[in-house]
Amino acid sequence: MLTVYSDTHRLHHGKQELIDGKLMPVVEMPRRADTVLAEVKARSLGEVIAPDDHGRAPIERIHDPRFVAFLETAWDDWSAAGRDYDALPFCWGTRTLRQDVDPARLVGIDAKLGYFSFDAGTPITAGTWTAAYTSAQVALTGRARLTDTGARAVFALCRPPGHHAGMDTFGGYCFLNNAAIAAQSFLDAGARKVAILDVDYHHGNGTQQIFYSRSDVLFCSIHGHPQQEFPFFLGWPEEIGQGPGHGFNHNFPLPWGSGQAPWFEAFEAACRKVEGYGPEVVVVSLGVDTFKDDPISKFRLETSDYPKIGERIAAFGCPVLFVMEGGYAVDQIGVNTVGLLTGFESAAG
Ligand code: OKP
Ligand code: ZN
């Protein structure tokens, strides 16, 4: 299996995030991608290539150009305000404040950070824009390779991750929604139906929001229940899409402590939704923070479970783009991620 990867992810290295009300060292660190790449090489998964530059246009098929422009200049605006540490928001326009302010009227960086974010756990640093832009290009290059070569699967080793980023919001360590950008790019290259299967521990709220009113992209997610787990305000089972998108969104939330049996039961139900939809291609939002020793998550999958996930995905029989999302047990994310991918390969033949 081909892997797409760029060292540029290292430019995004936040120092601190707000965890449980305290500034703590970030868990979404460059070593995550380094560990996965090392395992790709150690297991001889296949060739590793650098991304091509597909430009901004495919990003702006998903994200509001004003949001993209904000991300591009956020660090400079923050620095110009005299700050020499990571940028974080602290005030949001929630229910009792105005939701419909034209962001062009927001002058200060603190207002803009609040307008375009949904959490205080996602620091912006000097290299964040370049790293996030390149991460999207990694996914787009994976999409192009899959379309152009007729391969069964490609692995887009994205960092920073993307599934929490909405049309005009960043949060949950995500800035640009790599999986959504790739899914749209498949459609723009001629596909008519794309499914996104999100196996990350966290709900892919950004991906759900982006495609919620559409029938050309099915979204299915297995994740920590919003009653207990971030992002709290999306991811319930009754969220099944709206308007033309009604019936094309499926959430499978599970309680803290869920291990192999409940997880695979929910995963099987999600896989049947994917198969019932009959997509031409599947994008997998591949997080391995479902692992029992993940420091910020509370599911209990074991290393031996990951190849089985890959085997089941291979049974879809259609091309698959794997897009890296979360996983914070840094010493094991390589083994678990590549275990899933080699499980796919052995079953896909
Ligand atoms: C990103 B991805 C912990 C704060 C939680 C957000 C987690 C984002 C995970 N108290 N911070 O889905 O792996
Ligand atoms: Zn996650």
Side-chain angles (χ1 to χ4, degrees):
M1 188 184 304
L2 181 75
T3 296
V4 189
Y5 168 83
S6 169
D7 279 334
T8 302
H9 75 86
R10 299 221 178 93
L11 296 178
H12 175 62
H13 188 188
K15 286 177 204 64
Q16 294 185 308
E17 62 170 287
L18 204 55
I19 298 183
D20 304 339
K22 267 170 129 177
L23 273 174
M24 303 286 286
V26 295
V27 298
E28 201 292 284
M29 61 182 80
R31 199 158 69 81
R32 296 180 54 249
D34 298 341
T35 313
V36 177
L37 181 68
E39 192 65 16
V40 162
K41 291 179 174 167
R43 296 284 302 273
S44 304
L45 185 69
E47 195 188 348
V48 179
I49 62 162
D52 301 317
D53 188 358
H54 294 257
R56 280 168 98 100
I59 295 172
E60 296 186 350
R61 293 281 289 142
I62 291 297
H63 294 287
D64 186 327
R66 294 173 299 187
F67 172 65
V68 179
F70 156 78
L71 286 178
E72 188 174 17
T73 60
W75 174 258
D76 290 342
D77 294 350
W78 180 259
S79 301
R83 300 161 186 179
D84 62 357
Y85 44 90
D86 297 353
L88 286 177
F90 64 84
C91 178
W92 293 270
T94 51
R95 293 173 301 286
T96 55
L97 299 174
R98 276 181 61 174
Q99 314 272 291
D100 62 345
V101 180
D102 180 348
R105 294 174 66 192
L106 301 172
V107 176
I109 183 62
D110 298 306
K112 292 186 194 178
L113 282 165
Y115 183 84
F116 289 115
S117 71
F118 70 90
D119 79 354
T122 309
I124 292 178
T125 71
T128 296
W129 161 252
T130 304
Y133 176 87
T134 305
S135 191
Q137 300 302 329
V138 166
L140 285 163
T141 301
R143 193 290 299 163
R145 286 290 175 134
L146 205 56
T147 304
D148 297 348
T149 66
R152 267 305 307 276
V154 171
F155 176 38
L157 208 181
C158 294
R159 182 183 171 271
H163 73 152
H164 294 300
M167 187 190 59
D168 61 0
T169 52
F170 73 96
Y173 315 150
C174 301
F175 303 94
L176 297 173
N177 195 315
N178 308 309
I181 290 165
Q184 183 63 52
S185 179
F186 276 115
L187 295 169
D188 292 342
R192 282 165 307 166
K193 289 201 279 180
V194 178
I196 302 178
L197 177 58
D198 190 324
V199 299
D200 186 279
Y201 170 78
H202 301 92
H203 179 241
N205 61 287
T207 315
Q208 171 170 316
Q209 183 256 327
I210 287 163
F211 297 114
Y212 205 59
S213 302
R214 290 171 52 171
S215 60
D216 52 352
V217 179
L218 176 82
F219 179 66
C220 296
S221 176
I222 306 107
H223 51 268
H225 200 290
Q227 279 179 336
Q228 293 173 304
E229 193 52 79
F230 178 93
F232 307 116
F233 306 104
L234 211 65
W236 269 266
E238 69 269 22
E239 297 158 9
I240 59 167
Q242 69 185 19
H246 187 87
F248 298 96
N249 193 93
H250 300 287
N251 287 320
F252 300 89
L254 293 170
W256 280 350
S258 296
Q260 187 190 59
W263 194 89
F264 275 87
E265 191 182 330
F267 175 60
E268 182 58 30
C271 289
R272 294 209 175 144
K273 292 290 186 192
V274 170
E275 288 166 342
Y277 181 65
E280 289 147 274
V281 57
V282 174
V283 176
V284 175
S285 267
L286 171 50
V288 293
D289 38 10
T290 45
F291 183 54
K292 64 176 169 49
D293 295 331
D294 193 276
I296 64 166
S297 310
K298 292 186 166 67
F299 284 174
R300 293 190 183 144
L301 294 195
E302 317 245 357
T303 293
S304 57
D305 289 325
Y306 291 95
K308 298 174 202 155
I309 303 174
E311 285 165 27
R312 180 64 184 88
I313 291 169
F316 293 152
C318 67
V320 176
L321 178 65
F322 291 98
V323 176
M324 192 78 219
E325 302 281 3
Y328 307 96
V330 180
D331 293 329
Q332 286 108 341
I333 61 175
V335 174
N336 293 339
T337 302
V338 179
L340 190 153
L341 298 173
T342 52
F344 175 93
E345 295 252 89
S346 63

